[in-house]
Amino acid sequence: MEAYFAVDRLRELAQDHSVPGAQMTIRRAGETLSVTTGVRRAGSTTPVTADTAFALGSVTKVFTATVIAQLVAEGDLEWDEPVADYLAEFDGAVDGRMSAVTLRHLLSHTAGLVADHELDDAGASSLARYTASVTTTRTLHAPGHCFSYSNTGYNVLGRVIEATADMKWQAVMENSLLRPLGIDPVFPGGGTAAGLRAVADGHAVRPGRERAAHPVGLHLPAGWAPAGGLAGSADDLVALATLHLGTRPGADTLLPAAERAEMSAAAPAADAFGMADGWGLGLAHYASPVGPWLGHDGTADGASAHLRFHPATGTAVALTANATTGTRLWADLVDALREHGVPVGDHRPAASTAPAVTTGLDRFAGDYRNGDTRFAVRAHREGTALRLTDATGLTADLTLHGDLAFTARRTDTDTAPYTGRFVTDPATGDVTLMQLGGRSARRTTAA
């Protein structure tokens, strides 16, 4: 891709989506192109540079998973050993199924842990305390049964790292992975290296006021550092990608090929419906005309980050943006890159093509729960449709299809519909889960 096109297109897309500042890095055919645009904070004149750190959100999970893989390579951990073998906090879990949870389950989001567990004490940050609190919750499904995206699981993995290395997660991350990759660590939520690099402020762009980007603070729940507590640049993300591609000098020492292959292989039960085309051990799979790309997406308060790399060609692409509209910028950037010969993999959920179902809908009505998030599904329009509500005021009409996927359209706004599906018990055919946005909610009662 021509450098002048990349600079101009990134600037145009940032303006189109009211993103104050962004970075894009492309590694292709042994060459690296790194471009930036805009400012760190709306209303200021301080430019974004290649070294500016952006909140990475859930892309942090790839770093956490990579450290786990390093510990496996060193013989300190095993993919398929129960987590309870490494963590004393798992003794006496209220749900006996937690004793069967393995590192593989946690890394592939198939452990059945709730999505977004938080400590009651907002000032606490101990991963030991966090993990002990997790063991008072109940699983959504049997470990290894299906995919349900879980920040909780990655925070528990952070505790595994601490218990194994006898150091704080931040210290292990810095010494074992970030410094060897040439990355100056930034932990926005606090840590050993917080504040050593300039960090871009996050911004909210309000619907209907597309030109107004307002700075917002970053909130990271207590104990969530391993799931979303890193900041970095697009260059940093591509540095991590070259490690997983094996093209970085010393890659086999830092992360051996066997562990790289294990992380990149799709987990059989990790059908990441609505989020990606599959999931490995810390890496999502994204389809493209030239085969799967690997990577991850992340959002934080007022920021987004996106990483993709293609094992077959060694190509890597990363974007960071400091606004809530960064995810829309990414979608447009993917289209622009494809037009210029970089067929980046991305997941765009499509509505089901199976026939609509208008009878027997009482089978799906009931209450569904994932941690503190609760949904109610009820028959609607004299039993010919379903309606979804939650405690936040969400109301959406569901169109159910024969493959148990549904389209949900909000009744209070004119936003685009989103997709979900119901999951049944293979043995009984009973509806047991509802999946939305990659997260599963366990059916607790029938209506």
Side-chain angles (χ1 to χ4, degrees):
M1 170 179 285
E2 307 92 336
Y4 71 86
F5 167 81
V7 172
D8 290 346
R9 195 70 182 109
L10 182 62
R11 182 185 302 116
E12 291 170 0
L13 289 174
Q15 292 173 349
D16 288 346
H17 295 291
S18 301
V19 173
Q23 303 164 322
M24 177 179 68
T25 302
I26 301 174
R27 176 77 178 172
R28 191 182 190 199
E31 301 291 332
T32 300
L33 173 65
S34 181
V35 299
T36 65
T37 188
V39 294
R40 298 204 312 252
R41 182 181 177 91
S44 78
T45 58
T46 307
V48 169
T49 68
D51 191 55
T52 302
F54 288 66
L56 299 180
S58 285
V59 181
T60 301
K61 293 180 176 68
V62 184
F63 290 85
T64 294
T66 303
V67 173
I68 289 287
Q70 290 178 316
L71 293 170
V72 170
E74 292 166 5
D76 295 322
L77 298 174
E78 294 185 22
W79 301 116
D80 297 303
E81 284 297 306
V83 174
D85 287 358
Y86 306 117
L87 298 181
E89 293 88 354
F90 263 59
D91 290 342
V94 299
D95 188 334
R97 294 197 293 195
M98 283 194 184
S99 64
V101 171
T102 66
L103 295 179
R104 188 181 301 277
H105 292 145
L106 293 176
L107 290 161
S108 61
H109 298 284
T110 59
L113 299 189
V114 297
D116 303 312
H117 182 71
E118 294 188 32
L119 285 170
D120 292 333
D121 183 355
S125 60
S126 164
L127 289 177
R129 182 175 176 185
Y130 180 91
T131 301
S133 179
V134 170
T135 64
T136 67
T137 66
R138 295 197 174 276
T139 57
L140 304 170
H141 54 73
H145 173 61
C146 67
F147 181 92
S148 184
Y149 189 84
S150 176
N151 287 304
T152 304
Y154 270 76
N155 297 325
V156 172
L157 286 167
R159 175 57 186 154
V160 171
I161 291 170
E162 289 191 342
T164 304
D166 197 26
M167 286 190 292
K168 291 294 187 182
W169 171 84
Q170 288 90 343
V172 182
M173 181 63 61
E174 177 178 355
N175 296 327
S176 296
L177 185 59
L178 299 182
R179 294 293 183 190
L181 288 177
I183 298 173
D184 288 331
V186 181
F187 304 106
T192 58
L196 298 184
R197 289 166 62 180
V199 180
D201 289 295
H203 297 80
V205 179
R206 299 175 184 173
R209 298 175 61 184
E210 296 297 313
R211 308 307 302 176
H214 301 275
V216 294
L218 176 65
H219 169 68
L220 190 69
W224 277 39
L230 280 177
S233 66
D235 283 354
D236 295 338
L237 296 182
V238 167
L240 179 65
T242 61
L243 173 62
H244 282 275
L245 289 167
T247 58
R248 184 178 185 84
D252 288 342
T253 300
L254 192 55
L255 185 65
E259 281 64 45
R260 297 200 303 267
E262 198 78 36
M263 288 185 67
S264 63
D271 177 7
F273 181 83
M275 289 191 73
D277 297 292
W279 218 278
L281 304 187
L283 293 167
H285 288 226
Y286 301 93
S288 84
V290 296
W293 290 61
L294 306 177
H296 213 291
D297 296 324
T299 58
D301 292 318
S304 72
H306 307 269
L307 172 65
R308 299 288 189 275
F309 57 93
H310 190 228
T313 61
T315 302
V317 177
L319 172 77
T320 59
N322 62 351
T324 51
T325 46
T327 53
R328 285 153 49 184
L329 189 164
W330 168 251
D332 286 350
L333 180 62
V334 167
D335 292 340
L337 290 171
R338 288 174 175 175
E339 291 174 2
H340 281 75
V342 186
V344 181
D346 202 30
H347 183 69
R348 311 267 173 100
S352 173
T353 58
V357 176
T358 58
T359 60
L361 298 183
D362 285 342
R363 173 189 175 202
F364 304 92
D367 297 322
Y368 296 80
R369 179 174 181 177
N370 182 319
D372 292 332
T373 302
R374 305 184 186 195
F375 300 97
V377 176
R378 300 290 184 267
H380 183 53
R381 295 176 188 163
E382 298 182 348
T384 63
L386 293 169
R387 175 161 282 184
L388 170 73
T389 59
D390 71 6
T392 69
L394 165 71
T395 301
D397 287 335
L398 307 186
T399 300
L400 182 67
H401 299 273
D403 57 1
L404 302 190
F406 59 78
T407 302
R409 185 178 295 276
R410 294 188 64 140
T411 62
D412 58 339
T413 65
D414 194 26
T415 56
Y418 48 94
T419 58
R421 70 176 174 185
F422 293 101
V423 178
T424 59
D425 184 325
T428 65
D430 294 338
V431 177
T432 56
L433 299 168
M434 179 179 65
Q435 294 181 324
L436 277 173
R439 290 163 166 81
S440 295
R442 176 172 52 88
R443 192 183 194 189
T444 58
T445 59

